[in-house]
Amino acid sequence: MKTIHDILKLGDPRLYEVCEPVLKSDLPLVPEWTLQLHEAMEDIRRVYGFGRGIAAPQLGIMKRMFYLNLDRPYIILNPELKGLSQELFELWDDCMSFPNLLVKVNRHQSLTLEYLDENWETQSWTVEGAISELIQHEYDHLNGVLCTMRAIDEKSFRWKE
């Protein structure tokens, strides 16, 4: 069972790597990866009270995959962001890889996410606001980008208890 202790923490060099695409031949591994992501996210929710999504590289799975648990679970493979809005919004972002740190960032108000699901079927999902921000955050992880690297300025960090 994966727990909060399995999540890579800020400074781990793997968090800064660009992930490899999920291959069709990887599909038999996707259910186990999904279970591991779900378990780690549930433990973060239990300990810290937050968590809507987690990217595979946060558990050292260096594949272009993330898992969201919103109104239902979403398994996102090989995502691409399209139609990013010109309009941005500012927020305090958090991350399971540094759960006591908030970072002020700008995110696109809306976007379209194109991806493959766990059945290797192409999906398209247009989102805005909080879900748009969440998808951008998880997508960044797949490219080795942390929200600390997107901070608005050097004063855009806040510790949370």
Side-chain angles (χ1 to χ4, degrees):
M1 177 164 179
K2 294 293 181 181
T3 70
I4 191 171
H5 303 292
D6 295 300
I7 297 172
L8 303 184
K9 301 300 184 283
L10 183 65
D12 188 302
R14 292 171 289 179
L15 289 173
Y16 306 99
E17 293 179 17
V18 176
C19 293
E20 295 292 323
V22 176
L23 304 175
K24 194 167 187 178
S25 61
D26 292 326
L27 274 181
L29 300 171
V30 169
E32 178 60 26
W33 292 341
T34 301
L35 177 62
Q36 292 174 10
L37 293 166
H38 177 78
E39 289 171 347
M41 188 166 69
E42 286 301 309
D43 202 35
I44 280 277
R45 285 178 171 178
R46 183 183 61 77
V47 174
Y48 289 97
F50 76 91
R52 301 170 294 158
I54 184 171
Q58 290 180 275
L59 289 181
I61 303 164
M62 305 311 292
K63 293 288 187 171
R64 298 189 72 75
M65 173 184 177
F66 59 84
Y67 171 77
L68 306 177
N69 197 341
L70 305 169
D71 55 326
R72 66 173 182 85
Y74 293 85
I75 299 164
I76 312 294
L77 308 175
N78 299 334
E80 293 184 33
L81 303 185
K82 307 279 183 166
L84 293 144
S85 67
Q86 297 266 337
E87 182 183 355
L88 300 174
F89 69 103
E90 186 178 285
L91 72 140
W92 287 99
D93 202 357
D94 55 19
C95 183
M96 295 179 191
S97 291
F98 35 93
N100 288 315
L101 184 66
L102 294 171
V103 182
K104 191 186 295 184
V105 299
N106 283 315
R107 296 288 188 188
H108 296 276
Q109 177 63 31
S110 63
L111 60 83
T112 298
L113 174 68
E114 294 182 359
Y115 66 99
L116 296 169
D117 66 15
E118 66 274 22
N119 299 311
W120 208 250
E121 294 176 5
T122 302
Q123 303 292 331
S124 183
W125 187 19
T126 300
V127 297
E128 60 184 33
I131 304 303
S132 174
E133 175 276 320
L134 173 63
I135 287 169
Q136 291 168 75
H137 177 105
E138 302 307 337
Y139 183 84
D140 274 351
H141 275 295
L142 307 183
N143 293 317
V145 176
L146 303 179
C147 63
T148 53
M149 300 156 77
R150 294 204 181 274
I152 291 173
D153 60 28
E154 67 278 353
K155 296 178 184 172
S156 294
F157 298 90
R158 183 171 25 172
W159 191 253
K160 69 177 181 176
E161 297 300 326

